[in-house]
Amino acid sequence: MLDACQSKGPRGCAESLRKERAGIAVMDAAWPGKEQSVYRRILVPVDGSPASAQGIEEAIRLAKPMRSRVRLLHAIDDLSVSRAGYARDGSSQLRAEAARMLARSAEHVRSAGVEVDTVLYSEADGTVANLVEDEAREWHADLIIAGTRGRRGLGQLLLGSSTERIVRGSCVPVLLVHATADEQAAVG
């Protein structure tokens, strides 16, 4: 690092060190073929919402240049049951719908040239936040990218509590991505 810093001067060296400390991939012309990538495994919880779609897009944007692997995780919980309009006994339909959503999302990631796999859980396996935390730990994720609706107050309490619990309980960095106002308005 010292030789590379000397060739760049103090400003270039400080910039490289700042990026390295911030967890950004550092590619240095002074070291051809040497690149550091902090985020080799990116876990993305998805629920089919515009916010989770933004999370997928951010995962692609980060994963592609770093040649990282993405894992999409969906957990069928009470909220997804009520959103889909199924009674509890419609779980096989809900599971099939969730699997299709994961497959479409994975195909989108794959078509961008990023290696991807999927995991599908039901709430019987644990809460959404616990499942994400456990998956991050067991899969050795380097980063979690979670979409958030950006609500405050009661809306956050009712709809953002899983994301908040993921942030508070995660053993790895969590990047929150907001859906645009137009995307949220389209959903209602």
Side-chain angles (χ1 to χ4, degrees):
M1 182 77 141
L2 185 58
D3 291 338
C5 285
Q6 288 172 345
S7 68
K8 292 180 184 181
R11 258 194 145 152
C13 183
E15 179 67 11
S16 290
L17 288 172
R18 184 187 64 74
K19 286 181 178 178
E20 188 171 347
R21 285 189 192 115
I24 298 171
V26 178
M27 290 170 232
D28 194 328
W31 297 332
K34 301 272 185 179
E35 64 181 65
Q36 300 173 356
S37 176
V38 175
Y39 305 128
R40 301 301 294 160
R41 292 173 175 235
I42 301 172
L43 180 63
V44 185
V46 297
D47 63 5
S49 70
S52 74
Q54 285 298 112
I56 292 169
E57 292 305 317
E58 187 65 18
I60 291 169
R61 189 183 74 73
L62 287 174
K64 194 169 184 173
M66 292 191 278
R67 294 186 212 101
S68 302
R69 181 177 184 84
V70 171
R71 175 165 286 177
L72 304 176
L73 177 148
H74 179 70
I76 299 169
D77 61 354
D78 286 335
L79 186 57
S80 48
V81 170
S82 66
R83 246 191 231 147
Y86 294 119
R88 270 284 187 213
D89 59 355
S91 63
S92 63
Q93 287 178 298
L94 186 58
R95 190 166 188 81
E97 188 175 309
R100 284 191 295 275
M101 183 267 299
L102 273 174
R104 282 191 306 273
S105 298
E107 184 51 40
H108 175 68
V109 174
R110 198 173 291 111
S111 70
V114 175
E115 191 176 346
V116 63
D117 63 22
T118 62
V119 182
L120 177 60
Y121 290 107
S122 72
E123 193 174 55
D125 299 318
T127 67
V128 173
N130 287 342
L131 292 168
V132 171
E133 293 163 21
D134 291 347
E135 189 68 28
R137 191 173 19 266
E138 291 170 18
W139 187 56
H140 305 288
D142 300 305
L143 176 68
I144 298 169
I145 299 179
T148 181
R149 292 165 185 85
R151 294 192 170 113
R152 298 183 194 278
L154 186 59
Q156 181 216 2
L157 185 66
L158 295 175
L159 298 172
S161 58
S162 290
T163 302
E164 183 179 347
R165 282 194 289 271
I166 290 168
V167 169
R168 290 183 185 277
S170 178
C171 59
V172 300
V174 179
L175 174 62
L176 299 179
V177 181
H178 292 277
T180 65
D182 292 341
E183 289 170 326
Q184 278 305 120
V187 176

